[in-house]
Amino acid sequence: MAGTITTRFMIISDTHGFQFGDAEKVRGAFKQPLPKVDVLLHCGDLTERGGLKAYKDVIKMLSCIDAELKLVIAGNHDLSLDGAYWYNKGCDPDDPEDYAEHEQGIEIMKGQLAKEAGVTYLEEGLHTFTLTSGAKCTVYASPYQPEFCGWAFPYERDEDRFNLPHQSAPLVKNIAVNPVPDFPGIDIMMTHGPPRDILDWVASPPGATVGCNALLRAVSRARPLLHCFGHIHEAYGATTVIWKDDKKKIGADAIEDLSPQPSVYPDSLDWPIKFGRETLMVNAAIMDLNYKPRNSPWLVDLELPRAA
Ligand code: 5GP
Ligand code: MN
Ligand code: MN
């Protein structure tokens, strides 16, 4: 495609403390050798419950993957990376070591150790990167998901974190501090949780779908090339959303069709995404429901714009 640069992505999520070497013990699907890619995306739940050693171990695991850019967000299990959660209910305020874990955890994820491993830890919002190939990539990232069992990075189901007030559904409380821009503002969305009714079905209660309505509204406005997430381990998979021509349609109304994509790892998905017309949705949870690393990474080639 003229004016674009083909860029190879590897997408993973929900590794929950996994280290290479563990996979073989359970005949897992996430194991070395992993292919070299341009960009690695990790969609959160890096650890089991946070902790400084656990964050260092995540950096160690990510250092084993060969990618020019490694973009990482947190998830609900990475407790102390959420300052609001940590100071309000996560830590013991009378234990100085515990209290300090948020700042020290962020330092591990963003400091020298992360730099040496090529890791870029993303907080919620917009981030733009230029690769050595000249490809430019604008990413919207968010570790937040609907409240479930009192973990970190929560919002309530009747709250909208992702849209401007006039774009929210009726009777919903808008709490967005970093709303998702309209098409063509972003190339990639990385969230910990899935949008509503897309790779979000749960084992319990059986067949229920638990993805976020406000997030579906936001992704339907933004129409990125790729929206990747994890969180719902049992809904691992990929599907291409084909959007309606009318960009005024929002949420489920904006979807014309869905085309499920089987995993072809270690090959790359063979479906060239049409920007503005399609979004590849990927639930990349490596761990299954029993926290065993049974799922493969996803490899995707995307056409990114050339930096000016
Ligand atoms: P995690 O604890 O790793 O964030 O999520 C693990 C599992 O908890 C998911 O695979 C899913 O089965 C369940 N889970 C997470 N969030 C929700 C939710 O909002 N509703 C329901 N019913 N289950 C959830
Ligand atoms: Mn998880
Ligand atoms: Mn999770």
Side-chain angles (χ1 to χ4, degrees), residues 136-167:
K136 184 169 156 244
C137 183
T138 305
V139 178
Y140 174 85
S142 179
Y144 292 88
Q145 13 68 54
E147 203 299 311
F148 183 66
C149 299
W151 293 79
F153 297 105
Y155 54 83
E156 298 300 325
R157 289 227 171 241
D158 62 356
E159 291 176 334
D160 179 343
R161 241 200 120 79
F162 302 111
N163 298 283
L164 288 168
H166 73 276
Q167 297 163 334

mmCIF file of all heavy atoms in Angstrom, residues 136-167:
data_model
loop_
_atom_site.group_PDB
_atom_site.id
_atom_site.type_symbol
_atom_site.label_atom_id
_atom_site.label_comp_id
_atom_site.label_asym_id
_atom_site.label_seq_id
_atom_site.Cartn_x
_atom_site.Cartn_y
_atom_site.Cartn_z
ATOM 1 N N LYS A 136 5.076 5.226 11.737
ATOM 2 C CA LYS A 136 4.591 5.976 12.900
ATOM 3 C C LYS A 136 3.368 5.261 13.463
ATOM 4 O O LYS A 136 2.514 4.795 12.704
ATOM 5 C CB LYS A 136 4.216 7.382 12.431
ATOM 6 C CG LYS A 136 3.777 8.305 13.533
ATOM 7 C CD LYS A 136 3.697 9.730 12.982
ATOM 8 C CE LYS A 136 2.733 10.537 13.823
ATOM 9 N NZ LYS A 136 1.573 10.997 13.114
ATOM 10 N N CYS A 137 3.309 5.181 14.776
ATOM 11 C CA CYS A 137 2.259 4.388 15.402
ATOM 12 C C CYS A 137 1.659 5.184 16.559
ATOM 13 O O CYS A 137 2.368 5.553 17.489
ATOM 14 C CB CYS A 137 2.933 3.116 15.921
ATOM 15 S SG CYS A 137 1.810 1.966 16.636
ATOM 16 N N THR A 138 0.375 5.473 16.477
ATOM 17 C CA THR A 138 -0.298 6.193 17.564
ATOM 18 C C THR A 138 -1.180 5.200 18.318
ATOM 19 O O THR A 138 -2.028 4.525 17.722
ATOM 20 C CB THR A 138 -1.117 7.374 17.022
ATOM 21 O OG1 THR A 138 -0.245 8.198 16.257
ATOM 22 C CG2 THR A 138 -1.705 8.200 18.151
ATOM 23 N N VAL A 139 -0.937 5.120 19.620
ATOM 24 C CA VAL A 139 -1.559 4.092 20.458
ATOM 25 C C VAL A 139 -2.412 4.752 21.531
ATOM 26 O O VAL A 139 -1.969 5.708 22.176
ATOM 27 C CB VAL A 139 -0.458 3.246 21.154
ATOM 28 C CG1 VAL A 139 -1.063 2.205 22.079
ATOM 29 C CG2 VAL A 139 0.453 2.597 20.125
ATOM 30 N N TYR A 140 -3.620 4.235 21.743
ATOM 31 C CA TYR A 140 -4.394 4.586 22.933
ATOM 32 C C TYR A 140 -4.274 3.410 23.898
ATOM 33 O O TYR A 140 -4.565 2.260 23.527
ATOM 34 C CB TYR A 140 -5.881 4.827 22.612
ATOM 35 C CG TYR A 140 -6.672 5.052 23.878
ATOM 36 C CD1 TYR A 140 -6.747 6.304 24.459
ATOM 37 C CD2 TYR A 140 -7.282 3.987 24.538
ATOM 38 C CE1 TYR A 140 -7.405 6.495 25.656
ATOM 39 C CE2 TYR A 140 -7.949 4.176 25.742
ATOM 40 C CZ TYR A 140 -8.009 5.436 26.293
ATOM 41 O OH TYR A 140 -8.656 5.629 27.485
ATOM 42 N N ALA A 141 -3.860 3.687 25.131
ATOM 43 C CA ALA A 141 -3.661 2.624 26.114
ATOM 44 C C ALA A 141 -4.534 2.866 27.335
ATOM 45 O O ALA A 141 -4.731 4.018 27.731
ATOM 46 C CB ALA A 141 -2.192 2.598 26.538
ATOM 47 N N SER A 142 -5.060 1.784 27.933
ATOM 48 C CA SER A 142 -5.753 1.923 29.219
ATOM 49 C C SER A 142 -5.763 0.601 29.979
ATOM 50 O O SER A 142 -6.219 -0.417 29.464
ATOM 51 C CB SER A 142 -7.203 2.380 29.033
ATOM 52 O OG SER A 142 -7.819 2.473 30.312
ATOM 53 N N PRO A 143 -5.246 0.628 31.229
ATOM 54 C CA PRO A 143 -5.255 -0.592 32.054
ATOM 55 C C PRO A 143 -6.587 -0.814 32.779
ATOM 56 O O PRO A 143 -6.735 -1.819 33.459
ATOM 57 C CB PRO A 143 -4.149 -0.292 33.079
ATOM 58 C CG PRO A 143 -4.208 1.190 33.264
ATOM 59 C CD PRO A 143 -4.582 1.757 31.898
ATOM 60 N N TYR A 144 -7.546 0.118 32.651
ATOM 61 C CA TYR A 144 -8.778 0.057 33.465
ATOM 62 C C TYR A 144 -9.797 -0.914 32.882
ATOM 63 O O TYR A 144 -9.900 -1.086 31.667
ATOM 64 C CB TYR A 144 -9.389 1.457 33.576
ATOM 65 C CG TYR A 144 -8.523 2.388 34.384
ATOM 66 C CD1 TYR A 144 -7.517 3.123 33.773
ATOM 67 C CD2 TYR A 144 -8.690 2.506 35.753
ATOM 68 C CE1 TYR A 144 -6.696 3.963 34.507
ATOM 69 C CE2 TYR A 144 -7.875 3.347 36.507
ATOM 70 C CZ TYR A 144 -6.876 4.073 35.877
ATOM 71 O OH TYR A 144 -6.059 4.895 36.612
ATOM 72 N N GLN A 145 -10.580 -1.559 33.744
ATOM 73 C CA GLN A 145 -11.663 -2.461 33.328
ATOM 74 C C GLN A 145 -12.784 -2.389 34.363
ATOM 75 O O GLN A 145 -12.571 -1.912 35.487
ATOM 76 C CB GLN A 145 -11.202 -3.914 33.146
ATOM 77 C CG GLN A 145 -9.828 -4.296 33.682
ATOM 78 C CD GLN A 145 -9.721 -4.284 35.169
ATOM 79 O OE1 GLN A 145 -10.511 -4.933 35.834
ATOM 80 N NE2 GLN A 145 -8.767 -3.559 35.739
ATOM 81 N N PRO A 146 -13.979 -2.900 33.997
ATOM 82 C CA PRO A 146 -15.102 -2.837 34.936
ATOM 83 C C PRO A 146 -14.780 -3.558 36.245
ATOM 84 O O PRO A 146 -14.164 -4.628 36.234
ATOM 85 C CB PRO A 146 -16.236 -3.560 34.188
ATOM 86 C CG PRO A 146 -15.864 -3.477 32.748
ATOM 87 C CD PRO A 146 -14.367 -3.510 32.709
ATOM 88 N N GLU A 147 -15.184 -2.958 37.347
ATOM 89 C CA GLU A 147 -14.931 -3.489 38.689
ATOM 90 C C GLU A 147 -15.346 -4.958 38.778
ATOM 91 O O GLU A 147 -16.416 -5.346 38.339
ATOM 92 C CB GLU A 147 -15.764 -2.657 39.681
ATOM 93 C CG GLU A 147 -15.284 -2.636 41.114
ATOM 94 C CD GLU A 147 -15.250 -3.983 41.800
ATOM 95 O OE1 GLU A 147 -16.251 -4.722 41.744
ATOM 96 O OE2 GLU A 147 -14.210 -4.330 42.383
ATOM 97 N N PHE A 148 -14.465 -5.791 39.329
ATOM 98 C CA PHE A 148 -14.788 -7.208 39.531
ATOM 99 C C PHE A 148 -13.945 -7.715 40.694
ATOM 100 O O PHE A 148 -12.725 -7.793 40.593
ATOM 101 C CB PHE A 148 -14.499 -8.010 38.248
ATOM 102 C CG PHE A 148 -14.863 -9.463 38.349
ATOM 103 C CD1 PHE A 148 -16.184 -9.868 38.485
ATOM 104 C CD2 PHE A 148 -13.875 -10.453 38.306
ATOM 105 C CE1 PHE A 148 -16.527 -11.217 38.577
ATOM 106 C CE2 PHE A 148 -14.206 -11.805 38.392
ATOM 107 C CZ PHE A 148 -15.536 -12.178 38.530
ATOM 108 N N CYS A 149 -14.583 -7.980 41.802
ATOM 109 C CA CYS A 149 -13.918 -8.587 42.959
ATOM 110 C C CYS A 149 -12.854 -7.711 43.635
ATOM 111 O O CYS A 149 -11.961 -8.247 44.300
ATOM 112 C CB CYS A 149 -13.299 -9.936 42.592
ATOM 113 S SG CYS A 149 -14.509 -11.138 42.043
ATOM 114 N N GLY A 150 -12.938 -6.398 43.454
ATOM 115 C CA GLY A 150 -12.103 -5.500 44.256
ATOM 116 C C GLY A 150 -10.639 -5.418 43.883
ATOM 117 O O GLY A 150 -9.800 -5.105 44.727
ATOM 118 N N TRP A 151 -10.273 -5.679 42.625
ATOM 119 C CA TRP A 151 -8.876 -5.588 42.196
ATOM 120 C C TRP A 151 -8.553 -4.159 41.726
ATOM 121 O O TRP A 151 -9.386 -3.258 41.862
ATOM 122 C CB TRP A 151 -8.594 -6.610 41.086
ATOM 123 C CG TRP A 151 -8.678 -8.042 41.530
ATOM 124 C CD1 TRP A 151 -9.814 -8.769 41.711
ATOM 125 C CD2 TRP A 151 -7.584 -8.918 41.860
ATOM 126 N NE1 TRP A 151 -9.495 -10.050 42.119
ATOM 127 C CE2 TRP A 151 -8.140 -10.162 42.217
ATOM 128 C CE3 TRP A 151 -6.197 -8.770 41.871
ATOM 129 C CZ2 TRP A 151 -7.337 -11.255 42.585
ATOM 130 C CZ3 TRP A 151 -5.401 -9.860 42.229
ATOM 131 C CH2 TRP A 151 -5.969 -11.089 42.593
ATOM 132 N N ALA A 152 -7.373 -3.976 41.142
ATOM 133 C CA ALA A 152 -6.894 -2.628 40.774
ATOM 134 C C ALA A 152 -7.469 -2.144 39.435
ATOM 135 O O ALA A 152 -8.059 -2.926 38.695
ATOM 136 C CB ALA A 152 -5.365 -2.628 40.722
ATOM 137 N N PHE A 153 -7.273 -0.856 39.156
ATOM 138 C CA PHE A 153 -7.693 -0.194 37.904
ATOM 139 C C PHE A 153 -9.177 -0.425 37.575
ATOM 140 O O PHE A 153 -9.529 -0.746 36.436
ATOM 141 C CB PHE A 153 -6.818 -0.651 36.722
ATOM 142 C CG PHE A 153 -5.365 -0.298 36.850
ATOM 143 C CD1 PHE A 153 -4.414 -1.262 37.172
ATOM 144 C CD2 PHE A 153 -4.929 1.012 36.646
ATOM 145 C CE1 PHE A 153 -3.063 -0.935 37.293
ATOM 146 C CE2 PHE A 153 -3.578 1.346 36.764
ATOM 147 C CZ PHE A 153 -2.642 0.369 37.079
ATOM 148 N N PRO A 154 -10.079 -0.238 38.570
ATOM 149 C CA PRO A 154 -11.496 -0.496 38.309
ATOM 150 C C PRO A 154 -12.269 0.768 37.915
ATOM 151 O O PRO A 154 -11.866 1.883 38.232
ATOM 152 C CB PRO A 154 -11.993 -0.953 39.683
ATOM 153 C CG PRO A 154 -11.184 -0.114 40.641
ATOM 154 C CD PRO A 154 -9.828 0.105 39.968
ATOM 155 N N TYR A 155 -13.380 0.590 37.210
ATOM 156 C CA TYR A 155 -14.425 1.611 37.138
ATOM 157 C C TYR A 155 -15.741 0.866 37.247
ATOM 158 O O TYR A 155 -15.786 -0.362 37.049
ATOM 159 C CB TYR A 155 -14.330 2.453 35.849
ATOM 160 C CG TYR A 155 -14.304 1.675 34.559
ATOM 161 C CD1 TYR A 155 -15.472 1.215 33.942
ATOM 162 C CD2 TYR A 155 -13.090 1.370 33.943
ATOM 163 C CE1 TYR A 155 -15.438 0.491 32.767
ATOM 164 C CE2 TYR A 155 -13.044 0.644 32.761
ATOM 165 C CZ TYR A 155 -14.220 0.216 32.174
ATOM 166 O OH TYR A 155 -14.171 -0.517 31.015
ATOM 167 N N GLU A 156 -16.803 1.604 37.575
ATOM 168 C CA GLU A 156 -18.103 0.952 37.743
ATOM 169 C C GLU A 156 -18.757 0.723 36.389
ATOM 170 O O GLU A 156 -18.471 1.422 35.427
ATOM 171 C CB GLU A 156 -19.006 1.814 38.641
ATOM 172 C CG GLU A 156 -18.466 2.008 40.055
ATOM 173 C CD GLU A 156 -18.285 0.691 40.820
ATOM 174 O OE1 GLU A 156 -19.108 -0.235 40.624
ATOM 175 O OE2 GLU A 156 -17.318 0.583 41.595
ATOM 176 N N ARG A 157 -19.663 -0.247 36.337
ATOM 177 C CA ARG A 157 -20.302 -0.599 35.057
ATOM 178 C C ARG A 157 -21.185 0.529 34.507
ATOM 179 O O ARG A 157 -21.462 0.555 33.311
ATOM 180 C CB ARG A 157 -21.114 -1.885 35.209
ATOM 181 C CG ARG A 157 -20.198 -3.090 35.358
ATOM 182 C CD ARG A 157 -20.640 -4.238 34.454
ATOM 183 N NE ARG A 157 -19.612 -5.262 34.481
ATOM 184 C CZ ARG A 157 -18.935 -5.662 33.412
ATOM 185 N NH1 ARG A 157 -19.182 -5.158 32.229
ATOM 186 N NH2 ARG A 157 -18.014 -6.581 33.523
ATOM 187 N N ASP A 158 -21.633 1.440 35.387
ATOM 188 C CA ASP A 158 -22.446 2.557 34.878
ATOM 189 C C ASP A 158 -21.591 3.809 34.659
ATOM 190 O O ASP A 158 -22.115 4.905 34.538
ATOM 191 C CB ASP A 158 -23.618 2.856 35.817
ATOM 192 C CG ASP A 158 -23.141 3.280 37.198
ATOM 193 O OD1 ASP A 158 -21.908 3.262 37.454
ATOM 194 O OD2 ASP A 158 -23.991 3.645 38.023
ATOM 195 N N GLU A 159 -20.262 3.620 34.604
ATOM 196 C CA GLU A 159 -19.365 4.745 34.328
ATOM 197 C C GLU A 159 -18.741 4.587 32.943
ATOM 198 O O GLU A 159 -18.474 3.469 32.509
ATOM 199 C CB GLU A 159 -18.249 4.818 35.384
ATOM 200 C CG GLU A 159 -18.775 5.215 36.755
ATOM 201 C CD GLU A 159 -17.703 5.199 37.841
ATOM 202 O OE1 GLU A 159 -16.705 4.455 37.718
ATOM 203 O OE2 GLU A 159 -17.885 5.911 38.828
ATOM 204 N N ASP A 160 -18.512 5.726 32.273
ATOM 205 C CA ASP A 160 -17.880 5.730 30.942
ATOM 206 C C ASP A 160 -16.538 6.435 31.048
ATOM 207 O O ASP A 160 -16.469 7.634 31.291
ATOM 208 C CB ASP A 160 -18.810 6.465 29.958
ATOM 209 C CG ASP A 160 -18.218 6.529 28.549
ATOM 210 O OD1 ASP A 160 -16.996 6.317 28.391
ATOM 211 O OD2 ASP A 160 -18.979 6.810 27.608
ATOM 212 N N ARG A 161 -15.474 5.697 30.863
ATOM 213 C CA ARG A 161 -14.083 6.182 30.964
ATOM 214 C C ARG A 161 -13.495 6.553 29.634
ATOM 215 O O ARG A 161 -12.369 7.051 29.566
ATOM 216 C CB ARG A 161 -13.215 5.001 31.476
ATOM 217 C CG ARG A 161 -12.549 5.245 32.760
ATOM 218 C CD ARG A 161 -11.374 4.362 33.031
ATOM 219 N NE ARG A 161 -10.208 5.177 33.207
ATOM 220 C CZ ARG A 161 -9.905 5.831 34.329
ATOM 221 N NH1 ARG A 161 -10.637 5.712 35.392
ATOM 222 N NH2 ARG A 161 -8.844 6.587 34.373
ATOM 223 N N PHE A 162 -14.213 6.274 28.530
ATOM 224 C CA PHE A 162 -13.544 6.274 27.225
ATOM 225 C C PHE A 162 -14.092 7.263 26.197
ATOM 226 O O PHE A 162 -13.537 7.380 25.115
ATOM 227 C CB PHE A 162 -13.609 4.853 26.633
ATOM 228 C CG PHE A 162 -12.984 3.816 27.520
ATOM 229 C CD1 PHE A 162 -13.744 2.850 28.165
ATOM 230 C CD2 PHE A 162 -11.608 3.807 27.725
ATOM 231 C CE1 PHE A 162 -13.162 1.895 28.992
ATOM 232 C CE2 PHE A 162 -11.006 2.867 28.554
ATOM 233 C CZ PHE A 162 -11.790 1.902 29.187
ATOM 234 N N ASN A 163 -15.217 7.948 26.525
ATOM 235 C CA ASN A 163 -15.844 8.841 25.551
ATOM 236 C C ASN A 163 -16.012 10.239 26.144
ATOM 237 O O ASN A 163 -15.986 10.408 27.364
ATOM 238 C CB ASN A 163 -17.229 8.291 25.166
ATOM 239 C CG ASN A 163 -17.128 6.917 24.515
ATOM 240 O OD1 ASN A 163 -16.777 6.801 23.346
ATOM 241 N ND2 ASN A 163 -17.414 5.864 25.274
ATOM 242 N N LEU A 164 -16.217 11.233 25.272
ATOM 243 C CA LEU A 164 -16.573 12.573 25.736
ATOM 244 C C LEU A 164 -18.018 12.523 26.255
ATOM 245 O O LEU A 164 -18.790 11.647 25.833
ATOM 246 C CB LEU A 164 -16.464 13.568 24.584
ATOM 247 C CG LEU A 164 -15.030 13.886 24.148
ATOM 248 C CD1 LEU A 164 -15.028 14.643 22.826
ATOM 249 C CD2 LEU A 164 -14.299 14.672 25.231
ATOM 250 N N PRO A 165 -18.395 13.451 27.145
ATOM 251 C CA PRO A 165 -19.741 13.390 27.733
ATOM 252 C C PRO A 165 -20.855 13.256 26.692
ATOM 253 O O PRO A 165 -21.771 12.442 26.871
ATOM 254 C CB PRO A 165 -19.831 14.700 28.517
ATOM 255 C CG PRO A 165 -18.418 14.988 28.910
ATOM 256 C CD PRO A 165 -17.571 14.510 27.763
ATOM 257 N N HIS A 166 -20.782 14.014 25.582
ATOM 258 C CA HIS A 166 -21.881 13.946 24.610
ATOM 259 C C HIS A 166 -21.865 12.626 23.815
ATOM 260 O O HIS A 166 -22.820 12.329 23.094
ATOM 261 C CB HIS A 166 -21.839 15.152 23.653
ATOM 262 C CG HIS A 166 -20.733 15.093 22.637
ATOM 263 N ND1 HIS A 166 -19.446 15.518 22.895
ATOM 264 C CD2 HIS A 166 -20.720 14.629 21.369
ATOM 265 C CE1 HIS A 166 -18.706 15.324 21.824
ATOM 266 N NE2 HIS A 166 -19.437 14.784 20.875
ATOM 267 N N GLN A 167 -20.796 11.839 23.961
ATOM 268 C CA GLN A 167 -20.715 10.556 23.238
ATOM 269 C C GLN A 167 -21.131 9.380 24.130
ATOM 270 O O GLN A 167 -21.218 8.243 23.658
ATOM 271 C CB GLN A 167 -19.269 10.327 22.759
ATOM 272 C CG GLN A 167 -18.793 11.372 21.779
ATOM 273 C CD GLN A 167 -17.269 11.388 21.632
ATOM 274 O OE1 GLN A 167 -16.530 10.994 22.537
ATOM 275 N NE2 GLN A 167 -16.806 11.826 20.482
#
